[in-house]
Amino acid sequence: MNEKVRKTGHQLEVPDFPVIPFIEGDGIGKDIMGPSQRVIDAAVAKSYGDSRKISWLEVLAGEKAYLQTGEWLPEATLNAFREYLVGIKGPLTTPVGGGIRSLNVALRQTLDLFVCLRPVRWFKGVPSPVRYPHLVDMHIFRENTEDIYAGIEFMAGTAEAGKLMRFLTEEMGVTDQVRFPENSSFGVKPISKDGSERLIRAALEYAIERELPSVTLVHKGNIMKFTEGAFKNFGYDLAESEFGDQVFTWRIYEKLKSERGKIDADKALEEAKKSGKVIVKDVITDAFLQESLLRPFDYSVIATMNLNGDYISDQLAAMVGGIGISPGANINYHTGYAIFEATHGTAPAIAGTGKANPGSLILSGVMMLEYLGWTKAAEHVYDAMDHTFAKRRVTSDLHAQMEGATLLSTSEFADEVIRNMH
């Protein structure tokens, strides 16, 4: 009865009783994983009765794996994700000392999970530092394998840093740009055409499939012209060459304005919006961080590189209540590999106290249901979360910020969500 999710061509084939590997996680991982699974199971049962059910398969990573196997990330765990394609994980600690830089990074790079997808939406009743959080509805596509995630760095004073400095000086003509060459560390920032295009293509397909209004390329190309500037240009080239009549790019708008005047360009833009075309535009990163606060309704799908995406994800999460209820996924849309995850840390100080908020992992499970095509179950959880927050029945992190709220433990919050599945 238990079956594997498979990828055939462009289609994900999902059986009625799929095996889903899960990593419990470190710290509060053991507190939030069980309650989150109960919510997901309840939503599936509510939607499909006995005709569909997830078969959970625990695999090991992090401290639990190290204690049992002597390895932080056993090969058996990687093989399980390869075999079953879709999985979910709690937060993992980063080992101290040598070896794996980050277990999360290792999973993403080993399975080539090139999209970090972070949807950001507000639930009524959740405290927010912005005046109109209900206007925040964004979907961040953060590139997961290049930029700073490549991890190419050389420490000041090492032979490698000296060798690179000599190469830059003697072979590449770099002189005044490195102000203090004797004690500078170096990092290499690779941005490729192939890596950029596969991320931006995924963002465009996502926007078109869901009939979302725009895709914004966020970059710092005004300074880093050949990396982040190239990312912007790769995006416009791809949108215009592969998506044709489905999109209208800001580059086309600027060309029309130059050739025929602003009135004609504005008219073409309005016609594109009315016809349902996805508007593809770009914005400098620092401007986006400001504009997303002041005019969040101007942005829908965001496509960006790794470091920018890190900043953007956490700022937008803070606008709707924080990373405690912010979901995330790491996906390879070509192979079908996908790992859904809590976006917060392990919070060891509150592990075992019942104070942890399972919201991030629950909503990541909702993303997993959507990825599997079980959208009815996903909607049940969204609706139940709306009702739960509206009733101000929350865990400790949100209780401290909400007047008149009822404090619930981690497990009680999951029970409340299940009760609110109407």
Side-chain angles (χ1 to χ4, degrees):
M1 179 177 280
N2 300 334
E3 303 174 56
K4 301 173 185 177
V5 178
R6 300 182 185 277
K7 185 82 167 13
T8 304
H10 296 292
Q11 296 296 319
L12 203 66
E13 295 182 359
V14 181
D16 291 331
F17 301 93
V19 174
I20 301 294
F22 72 94
I23 297 170
E24 181 181 72
D26 298 322
I28 60 172
K30 56 181 172 290
D31 301 338
I32 63 176
M33 181 58 74
S36 298
Q37 289 171 319
R38 286 197 289 110
V39 171
I40 295 166
D41 287 340
V44 172
K46 182 82 172 175
S47 303
Y48 310 112
D50 295 331
S51 64
R52 290 181 182 176
K53 186 177 181 181
I54 290 173
S55 296
W56 300 102
L57 172 67
E58 183 173 10
V59 294
L60 301 177
E63 291 177 341
K64 191 172 185 179
Y66 187 75
L67 291 173
Q68 293 188 27
T69 71
E71 297 179 277
W72 290 96
L73 183 59
E75 190 65 26
T77 296
L78 292 168
N79 288 336
F81 285 123
R82 292 187 183 106
E83 182 176 2
Y84 297 107
L85 264 68
V86 179
I88 191 167
K89 59 176 281 295
L92 290 172
T93 191
T94 298
V96 177
I100 296 174
R101 217 164 24 102
S102 161
L103 295 173
N104 294 318
V105 173
L107 280 166
R108 294 166 188 170
Q109 293 196 336
T110 302
L111 297 174
D112 195 24
L113 305 174
F114 62 87
V115 169
C116 178
L117 176 58
R118 295 278 295 272
V120 182
R121 58 171 285 182
W122 182 67
F123 290 94
K124 186 176 180 180
V126 173
S128 167
V130 298
R131 180 174 292 183
Y132 303 115
H134 64 282
L135 299 177
V136 180
D137 185 7
M138 300 186 212
H139 312 256
I140 305 156
F141 278 70
R142 172 192 178 196
E143 208 287 323
N144 236 355
T145 63
E146 298 190 313
D147 196 10
I148 63 164
Y149 257 35
I152 307 171
E153 290 188 299
F154 305 98
M155 182 63 189
T158 63
E160 292 83 0
K163 185 176 182 180
L164 180 57
M165 186 66 234
R166 287 192 297 275
F167 172 77
L168 291 173
T169 304
E170 298 168 9
E171 302 291 333
M172 304 300 291
V174 173
T175 54
D176 297 339
Q177 295 97 316
V178 182
R179 188 65 57 87
F180 305 105
E182 295 81 7
N183 53 24
S184 288
S185 294
F186 296 93
V188 180
K189 177 189 179 74
I191 302 291
S192 70
K193 183 173 187 286
D194 287 347
S196 300
E197 284 187 343
R198 65 179 184 173
L199 175 92
I200 296 163
R201 184 181 293 111
L204 287 164
E205 289 173 345
Y206 184 95
I208 291 167
E209 180 183 340
R210 288 161 179 76
E211 299 182 349
L212 298 172
S214 67
V215 172
T216 303
L217 309 170
V218 181
H219 63 92
K220 194 64 178 169
N222 57 329
I223 303 299
M224 293 175 276
K225 299 182 186 300
F226 302 136
T227 51
E228 305 219 358
F231 176 87
K232 176 195 74 171
N233 293 329
F234 294 149
Y236 278 136
D237 291 344
L238 176 79
E240 292 168 9
S241 64
E242 290 192 15
F243 291 88
D245 291 340
Q246 295 176 293
V247 303
F248 182 88
T249 70
W250 200 249
R251 191 166 69 177
I252 290 174
Y253 171 85
E254 292 293 341
K255 184 179 179 182
L256 285 173
K257 187 167 73 170
S258 172
E259 294 176 352
R260 292 159 44 183
K262 188 175 186 303
I263 293 176
D264 281 356
D266 287 345
K267 184 179 178 181
L269 177 60
E270 288 307 312
E271 288 175 352
K273 290 178 179 178
K274 288 177 182 177
S275 65
K277 291 184 179 181
V278 174
I279 308 303
V280 182
K281 52 190 176 179
D282 75 278
V283 65
I284 302 298
T285 307
D286 46 331
F288 176 82
L289 292 172
Q290 173 182 260
E291 288 298 307
S292 59
L293 283 165
L294 300 175
R295 301 176 61 82
F297 46 82
D298 280 346
Y299 301 103
S300 179
V301 177
I302 311 302
T304 190
M305 289 145 290
N306 186 271
L307 185 57
N308 293 333
D310 207 0
Y311 302 146
I312 290 167
S313 296
D314 279 9
Q315 175 183 294
L316 296 184
M319 291 165 63
V320 295
I323 59 173
I325 54 171
S326 177
N330 301 287
I331 302 171
N332 184 318
Y333 286 98
H334 300 161
T335 61
Y337 295 150
I339 299 179
F340 299 82
E341 64 178 356
T343 58
H344 52 71
T346 58
I350 62 169
T353 65
K355 293 181 178 180
N357 186 344
S360 173
L361 193 58
I362 289 172
L363 290 170
S364 296
V366 173
M367 291 179 68
M368 184 182 74
L369 293 173
E370 291 175 328
Y371 186 72
L372 295 172
W374 293 8
T375 54
K376 188 176 179 181
E379 286 300 326
H380 271 306
V381 183
Y382 280 135
D383 182 63
M385 294 282 276
D386 266 325
H387 281 81
T388 302
F389 288 128
K391 293 177 180 179
R392 298 175 179 265
R393 297 177 64 80
V394 293
T395 48
S396 134
D397 55 332
L398 295 177
H399 179 263
Q401 306 174 55
M402 298 172 68
E403 187 176 344
T406 300
L407 177 63
L408 301 178
S409 69
T410 307
S411 185
E412 289 171 340
F413 179 82
D415 292 338
E416 184 72 16
V417 173
I418 291 169
R419 275 194 297 270
N420 286 324
M421 286 184 189
H422 302 305

